[in-house]
Amino acid sequence: MFASYLIGLREGLEATLVVSILVAFLVKSGRGDRLPLVWAGVGAAVALSVAFGALLTFTAANLGSRQHEMFDAFASLAATVFVTFMIFWMRTAARRMSGDLREKLSDALQLGSVAVVVVAFLSVAREGLETALLWFAAVQGATTSASPLTGITLGLLTSVALGYGLYRSAVRINLTKFFTWTGLLLILVAAGIFKYGVHDLQEAGLLPGLSTYAFDISGVLDPGAWYSTLLSGMFNITAQPSVLETVAWVAYAVPVLVLFLRRPSAKAPAGTAPQSQQPQSPQPAS
């Protein structure tokens, strides 16, 4: 549930910030009559994301055992790639995201109504599709309880509340620190997803060593304890991982964490004032 909450919170806040920037731009520029077009694009993006998540779930439920394992493995590996790209992209693009969105929307207003809908749709659809794929991959192997769905729903609702508070200037948070800490946690979540993908490939018979365990701490890590559930659900840390699963987890987590924690080496050009490290949150019209 906590992993699903983190996914909903992180991805949801990115999408909410995008919508807030678009809305604030239209309000400040006196084009409030175009707001329904933005909401139409957002609604279409949300519908596409829900449909994509439903398609993933339906497809997985109607496959044979081996095909199911291969499909889950593909989804897990794809989600790992997407979340890694998203984490590093957000770190570098957050500073200029507001300006880029305003420029795109300004050009779209000149082209017509359909262009405005398309800009809003594309701006939100990427986050929505990533959320659906990442959530689907994260809950593989989970129980049939409603905890994952509850978690992602709460995460999305929290992100909407934070986004609205930022827009109305009622909430002040350091977005740079927020995306840094959630990025660190998502790297560990992605390592667990990658490990689960390798496990699925082993169960499908495409990789060997399913019964060759790296270690066995089942005597220490009680499967029924709350901390075992948290470690398994959040980071896919299990009591009896195979050697290949363990290698996959370490091989992903260690280098990605090192690269993420490294400070950007690029320096501002001479004579240019350094930019703020915190992405600017949209401000309401005065």
Side-chain angles (χ1 to χ4, degrees):
M1 179 174 177
F2 186 70
S4 299
Y5 178 82
L6 177 63
I7 292 169
L9 176 62
R10 166 78 186 221
E11 295 284 347
L13 187 57
E14 288 186 27
T16 302
L17 288 174
V18 168
V19 175
S20 299
I21 290 170
L22 297 177
V23 170
F25 175 77
L26 289 178
V27 172
K28 286 187 174 183
S29 60
R31 305 299 298 272
D33 59 309
R34 298 291 183 174
L35 286 176
L37 299 176
V38 171
W39 294 121
V42 171
V46 171
L48 176 64
S49 303
V50 173
F52 180 58
L55 177 62
L56 290 173
T57 304
F58 176 81
T59 302
N62 287 274
L63 293 175
S65 177
R66 188 168 185 270
Q67 290 76 17
H68 190 177
E69 299 297 342
M70 294 174 63
F71 181 79
D72 287 351
F74 171 77
S76 297
L77 297 178
T80 303
V81 172
F82 279 121
V83 73
T84 305
F85 171 80
M86 176 268 294
I87 289 170
F88 284 96
W89 176 86
M90 191 64 187
R91 187 181 183 185
T92 57
R95 300 177 188 175
R96 64 177 187 270
M97 181 174 65
S98 180
D100 289 346
L101 285 172
R102 290 190 179 101
E103 182 179 354
K104 290 178 182 178
L105 189 56
S106 179
D107 294 339
L109 286 170
Q110 298 178 12
L111 293 176
S113 301
V114 176
V116 176
V117 175
V118 171
V119 168
F121 172 79
L122 293 178
S123 299
V124 178
R126 182 181 65 84
E127 304 294 345
L129 293 176
E130 284 181 0
T131 302
L133 179 60
L134 183 57
W135 179 72
F136 175 81
V139 300
Q140 296 307 303
T143 62
T144 56
S145 70
S147 294
L149 183 59
T150 302
I152 195 169
T153 301
L154 292 175
L156 291 172
L157 291 176
T158 303
S159 70
V160 171
L162 287 175
Y164 181 76
L166 288 170
Y167 174 76
R168 303 299 300 180
S169 298
V171 174
R172 298 286 184 180
I173 62 174
N174 188 317
L175 292 177
T176 297
K177 289 185 178 180
F178 172 84
F179 284 120
T180 297
W181 284 107
T182 55
L184 288 172
L185 288 174
L186 275 181
I187 288 173
L188 297 179
V189 171
I193 293 174
F194 184 55
K195 171 179 174 287
Y196 190 83
V198 171
H199 176 80
D200 280 335
L201 290 176
Q202 289 182 307
E203 288 197 335
L206 298 180
L207 290 177
L210 179 62
S211 300
T212 305
Y213 301 126
F215 51 82
D216 185 354
I217 56 173
S218 55
V220 177
L221 195 64
D222 182 9
W226 66 269
Y227 53 84
S228 300
T229 303
L230 177 64
L231 290 174
S232 177
M234 187 68 182
F235 308 124
N236 198 19
I237 295 177
T238 54
Q240 287 182 312
S242 68
V243 172
L244 201 54
E245 288 179 73
T246 305
V247 170
W249 198 97
V250 175
Y252 174 86
V254 172
V256 174
L257 282 172
V258 170
L259 289 174
F260 184 78
L261 291 173
R262 287 180 59 187
R263 293 183 178 274
S265 58
K267 297 182 179 179
T272 302
Q275 296 181 355
S276 171
Q277 295 296 314
Q278 177 173 330
Q280 295 181 355
S281 58
Q283 299 295 326
S286 57

